[in-house]
Amino acid sequence: GVTEPGTTWYLAEGATNGGFETWVLIQNPGNEPAQVTLNYHTGWGEVPGPTLTVEPGSRATVDVSDTVETFEVSTLIKSDRPVVAERAMYFVRRAYVTE
C-alpha cells in the first residue's frame, strides 16, 4: 500500500475492450474537498478524462470506459489536495448463446 496521500498519481496499464473493465478509485482522507482531474494516455495520445470533486473522508469511483475504449490505457491523476488513488481491473467473461 501507499505510505501517504499525494497530489499526482500515475496508474500504469489498463484496458476497456475485449471484456476488460478498468476503474480508478480516488480516496480523500483530508478535511476539505479535493478537485481531481484525470487524463488518460492511450496508444493514439492523451485523452482528457473527467474532473470531479471528492468530498472529505469519501471515495469516488471512475469507470475509464466512460471516456475511452482501448486495450492500452494508463491514467494520470492530478489533485489540488492530497488523495490516494488506485486502479482496479477486471476481466468479465460473457456467455454467448448460439441458436
Side-chain angles (χ1 to χ4, degrees):
V2 301
T3 57
E4 62 186 52
T7 57
T8 302
W9 292 89
Y10 298 93
L11 305 178
E13 160 177 62
T16 56
N17 262 345
F20 288 96
E21 295 180 358
T22 300
W23 301 81
V24 175
L25 300 86
I26 304 160
Q27 190 246 348
N28 179 1
N31 296 322
E32 298 181 45
Q35 299 300 313
V36 180
T37 300
L38 283 71
N39 282 301
Y40 302 117
H41 298 264
T42 69
W44 63 87
E46 188 173 325
V47 178
T51 296
L52 56 142
T53 300
V54 182
E55 296 299 328
S58 68
R59 185 187 85 174
T61 304
V62 177
D63 182 353
V64 177
S65 71
D66 286 346
T67 305
V68 295
E69 292 285 333
T70 181
F71 281 106
E72 49 188 45
V73 60
S74 60
T75 307
L76 169 61
I77 300 162
K78 295 260 190 182
S79 176
D80 68 341
R81 305 240 180 257
V83 296
V84 176
E86 68 175 309
R87 172 192 57 84
M89 194 165 140
Y90 305 97
F91 178 72
V92 181
R93 183 172 292 217
R94 304 204 193 299
Y96 294 96
V97 177
T98 59
E99 297 183 31

